[in-house]
Amino acid sequence: MSHENYQSVMKTLHECMEACNHCYDACLKEEDVKMMAECIRLDRECADICAYLEQALARNTPFVSELAQACATICEACGNECKKHNHDHCQKCAEACLNCAEECKRLAS
């Protein structure tokens, strides 16, 4: 399958990566950074796997299913962690991550 067929999921991956990077940066500026440690860690993991999968799809990776499954797992973990925090940036990130997780699950199947 050519990367043109992945445009929608690539857009979702990119949006999730941007939301995670914004959340990561904003979490570092919160008053109680220690309380945000797991959110920050998962933001980094999620942004990295989304960026990697986006690049891999652009080069027509033969590992679409495997990478999409890993991405879905990480996005879901990040989204669930972000949902625990009432900060606007965390809530927006949670929405982007959970949306991306669903797209990746479809891609993996």
Side-chain angles (χ1 to χ4, degrees), residues 6 37 51 54 64 79:
Y6 297 123
E54 182 184 6
V64 171

Side-chain angles (χ1 to χ4, degrees), residues 42 49 67-80 101 104-105:
L42 287 170
I49 190 68
L67 291 171
Q69 185 56 56
C71 192
T73 300
I74 294 168
C75 285
E76 193 166 13
C78 189
N80 287 334
C104 286
K105 285 177 190 175

Side-chain angles (χ1 to χ4, degrees), residues 73-89:
T73 300
I74 294 168
C75 285
E76 193 166 13
C78 189
N80 287 334
E81 176 62 28
C82 284
K83 273 197 319 190
K84 295 177 185 176
H85 305 283
N86 290 326
H87 309 295
D88 188 51
H89 57 86

Side-chain angles (χ1 to χ4, degrees), residues 10-69:
M10 289 170 71
K11 181 178 185 289
T12 301
L13 287 161
H14 196 82
E15 289 168 355
C16 186
M17 178 202 63
E18 287 180 334
C20 286
N21 281 331
H22 174 72
C23 188
Y24 168 84
D25 184 57
C27 283
L28 287 173
K29 296 172 184 165
E30 292 296 339
E31 197 170 302
D32 188 358
V33 174
K34 284 186 179 184
M35 184 186 82
M36 306 306 294
E38 187 66 4
C39 189
I40 292 166
R41 187 179 74 74
L42 287 170
D43 282 338
R44 290 295 335 126
E45 295 286 342
C46 193
D48 288 350
I49 190 68
C50 286
Y52 183 79
L53 181 53
E54 182 184 6
Q55 293 169 23
L57 291 174
R59 65 176 174 268
N60 295 313
T61 180
F63 303 105
V64 171
S65 183
E66 295 87 348
L67 291 171
Q69 185 56 56

